[in-house]
Amino acid sequence: MGSVSQFVRGMDWWGLLTLLISAAAALLCITLHELSHGFVAWRLGDPTAKNVGRLTLNPIKHLDLFGLLMMLIAKVGWAKPVPVDMRYFKHPKQGMALTALAGPAANFLTALAATAVASLIYHIAPLHPVWVAVLCLLSNLALLGVGMGLFNLIPISPLDGSKILFALLPDRAYYTILRYEKYVMGVLIVLVLLGAFDRPLSFLMLHVLQGFCAVTGMPMGALLVFQDAASIFQLF
């Protein structure tokens, strides 16, 4: 009984809460990203995502555990891809490009909205554990949203950026690349694990977030501090 009490007292509960908040933010970013893909594809005439139940806010439907883990560790990650059948599109390559663009666009809009709400709370709300938790969630939404949006714009198949860029290629080259893109995913994962994208993505994330903070009035330093709010929780 004493060992259980010692474990409970020694547990970093605020750190655990911060981790859970980060995971919740990552799940929301992933869900909105994939839902946007499916929604735009559906609006362009492809019912595939809708037919398999992917037009939903249920994160379990979109979850890739390894991609979620990478979001928590490296601030970049991915979800289970929404199925898209470009044969339904009136203009297949253009439709696929718009569908691909929808995911990163949703992430950037989510990040901007989160930064705006965080700025409002930061300037008017008292320093209270509840508001600290909310600011932690919003800060993680901003950072993870920008990170996921930028990562998916990398023009390497099967990321969204490749679908956008490859729409400019001749049809023969375009469909050849699509045929082999699943084999590139393994190489992409290795590059992420080796940190090949860390520096350029960190540089771009910093500048995008600075822009969002300038527009919304949220101090950049505060946004970064509240992203890992465990130390602030210790004050209460």
Side-chain angles (χ1 to χ4, degrees):
M1 207 54 188
S3 60
V4 174
S5 299
Q6 283 183 332
F7 173 78
V8 171
R9 286 196 300 269
M11 184 70 178
D12 182 10
W13 295 106
W14 293 125
L16 178 61
L17 177 60
T18 299
L19 178 62
L20 291 175
I21 291 172
S22 299
L27 282 173
L28 184 55
C29 287
I30 284 171
T31 300
L32 293 175
H33 181 98
E34 294 302 325
L35 175 60
S36 297
H37 282 319
F39 179 78
V40 170
W42 173 60
R43 295 296 296 172
L44 291 174
D46 176 18
T48 308
K50 184 179 181 182
N51 291 342
V52 297
R54 295 296 297 276
L55 294 189
T56 176
L57 285 170
N58 180 1
I60 304 301
K61 293 284 188 177
H62 307 291
L63 183 61
D64 180 296
L65 288 176
F66 188 66
L68 175 64
L69 182 63
M70 291 308 299
M71 281 196 73
L72 294 174
I73 295 174
K75 304 304 179 189
V76 295
W78 53 87
K80 185 165 59 177
V82 163
V84 176
D85 189 341
M86 62 193 299
R87 292 173 296 180
Y88 285 102
F89 298 147
K90 186 176 180 180
H91 303 288
K93 289 196 299 184
Q94 292 84 344
M96 183 60 80
L98 288 172
T99 299
L101 182 61
N107 289 136
F108 291 132
L109 289 174
T110 300
L112 179 59
T115 306
V117 177
S119 178
L120 181 65
I121 293 173
Y122 176 79
H123 285 103
I124 68 173
L127 190 64
H128 184 276
V130 172
W131 292 119
V132 171
V134 173
L135 284 168
C136 181
L137 174 64
L138 293 169
S139 297
N140 274 281
L141 277 175
L143 269 74
L144 293 172
V146 170
M148 188 173 185
L150 289 172
F151 175 71
N152 278 279
L153 284 177
I154 295 173
I156 298 176
S157 189
L159 296 178
D160 298 327
S162 67
K163 305 292 195 307
I164 300 168
L165 179 64
F166 295 164
L168 303 174
L169 296 176
D171 287 354
R172 183 175 180 180
Y174 180 82
Y175 290 110
T176 299
I177 291 172
L178 289 184
R179 193 176 305 124
Y180 294 103
E181 70 175 5
K182 63 182 178 180
Y183 301 109
V184 184
M185 189 63 187
V187 177
L188 182 65
I189 292 174
V190 171
L191 290 175
V192 171
L193 293 174
L194 291 176
F197 305 112
D198 288 357
R199 285 192 176 183
L201 282 177
S202 295
F203 175 81
L204 291 173
M205 282 178 65
L206 179 65
H207 284 78
V208 172
L209 286 168
Q210 283 177 337
F212 286 175
C213 287
V215 169
T216 61
M218 179 68 182
M220 181 71 173
L223 189 74
L224 296 177
V225 167
F226 281 106
Q227 179 241 341
D228 184 5
S231 57
I232 301 176
F233 281 128
Q234 301 288 349
L235 299 175
F236 298 99

